[in-house]
Amino acid sequence: GNSVTQMEGPVTLSEEAFLTINCTYTATGYPSLFWYVQYPGEGLQLLLKATKADDKGSNKGFEATYRKETTSFHLEKGSVQVSDSAVYFCALSDLAGAGSYQLTFGKGTKLSVIP
Amino acid sequence: NAGVTQTPKFQVLKTGQSMTLQCAQDMNHEYMSWYRQDPGMGLRLIHYSVGAGITDQGEVPNGYNVSRSTTEDFPLRLLSAAPSQTSVYFCASSAALGRSNYGYTFGSGTRLTVV
């Protein structure tokens, strides 16, 4: 079956530090890949996505590149801010029943950025 | 522009009680789903629906029922609440039928405690 593995948290960084959150996946098909972000007390929001090999998704200074050869989709940001403190989820979308595409999530990585 | 609306936001139940968690979306999405979020477990799929009148089980369906009488609404019923159902529940919708690159839109969640 499909699975997503993320680096364990929590991750604590100082403001303006470089961020990497590792994500690897296992899939039987050719999935689309996503990063979602969850701010405290809120639901998940789509941060970025990539749908084919070597695609780079980007949003709000975050980037991730779809690497089929290493089955990875690592999230990076060059300079984090306190407002980036949240839980980040890596996910893949693959074909399920009745023509629907379902998301399989990693366990999430909590990021805390300190001033 | 409401998106996905979940009610209630918080609920405390006694063991054995029943209740319904409400979810409504106004985006005419065909696909709707329920997830539960537990510490260290990420998000796990409970039930999903690919359209009115069609539902199916996800990874952790036991103890929960769903129905989909309209495109807009997808309620989740707890038949006899147990402490193991203490969790945060998220409803999500998507226009993803047949398209792998669509993300999900999440509600803000219902925090349920069973005592």
Side-chain angles (χ1 to χ4, degrees):
Chain A
N2 298 333
S3 66
V4 176
T5 302
Q6 292 181 232
M7 63 186 289
E8 299 265 338
V11 174
T12 302
L13 295 174
S14 297
E15 208 165 20
E16 300 184 1
F18 184 85
L19 168 71
T20 299
I21 300 178
N22 290 338
C23 171
T24 58
Y25 69 89
T26 302
T28 53
Y30 197 159
S32 293
L33 302 174
F34 303 82
W35 277 100
Y36 281 82
V37 58
Q38 183 181 30
Y39 298 104
E42 298 184 9
L44 280 72
Q45 304 173 24
L46 179 63
L47 180 60
L48 54 84
K49 65 182 180 183
T51 59
K52 62 183 186 294
D54 300 324
D55 263 5
K56 177 184 285 187
S58 61
N59 186 25
K60 300 181 180 179
F62 291 89
E63 294 183 341
T65 301
Y66 191 142
R67 300 290 188 197
K68 193 170 188 292
E69 64 276 13
T70 55
T71 61
S72 64
F73 192 55
H74 305 322
L75 182 68
E76 296 181 338
K77 187 175 185 182
S79 176
V80 295
Q81 306 301 312
V82 172
S83 57
D84 294 326
S85 298
V87 180
Y88 293 82
F89 291 90
C90 185
L92 67 82
S93 173
D94 205 358
L95 185 63
S100 68
Y101 283 84
Q102 290 183 1
L103 288 179
T104 300
F105 289 90
K107 294 184 178 181
T109 302
K110 183 176 181 179
L111 170 67
S112 297
V113 180
I114 54 177
Chain B
N1 190 16
V4 178
T5 302
Q6 289 185 239
T7 57
K9 290 191 180 300
F10 302 94
Q11 183 71 49
V12 178
L13 287 180
K14 293 182 179 179
T15 297
Q17 285 185 318
S18 63
M19 79 159 294
T20 300
L21 280 62
Q22 301 291 345
C23 175
Q25 54 91 7
D26 61 358
M27 299 168 285
N28 203 33
H29 284 171
E30 292 175 299
Y31 181 88
M32 297 186 73
S33 56
W34 278 100
Y35 287 86
R36 59 179 290 172
Q37 183 180 27
D38 301 293
M41 300 293 289
L43 279 82
R44 293 181 291 170
L45 182 65
I46 304 172
H47 286 285
Y48 68 96
S49 168
V50 297
I54 306 170
T55 64
D56 206 346
Q57 297 180 352
E59 180 185 356
V60 288
N62 292 341
Y64 308 95
N65 276 359
V66 292
S67 61
R68 184 99 178 267
S69 57
T70 67
T71 300
E72 294 78 18
D73 299 302
F74 191 44
L76 178 73
R77 297 183 186 85
L78 281 69
L79 306 175
S80 177
S84 60
Q85 294 178 303
T86 294
S87 187
V88 181
Y89 291 86
F90 288 100
C91 180
S93 73
S94 174
L97 283 189
R99 307 200 53 167
S100 71
N101 59 339
Y102 277 48
Y104 286 12
T105 301
F106 281 82
S108 58
T110 295
R111 184 175 294 274
L112 175 68
T113 302
V114 182
V115 298

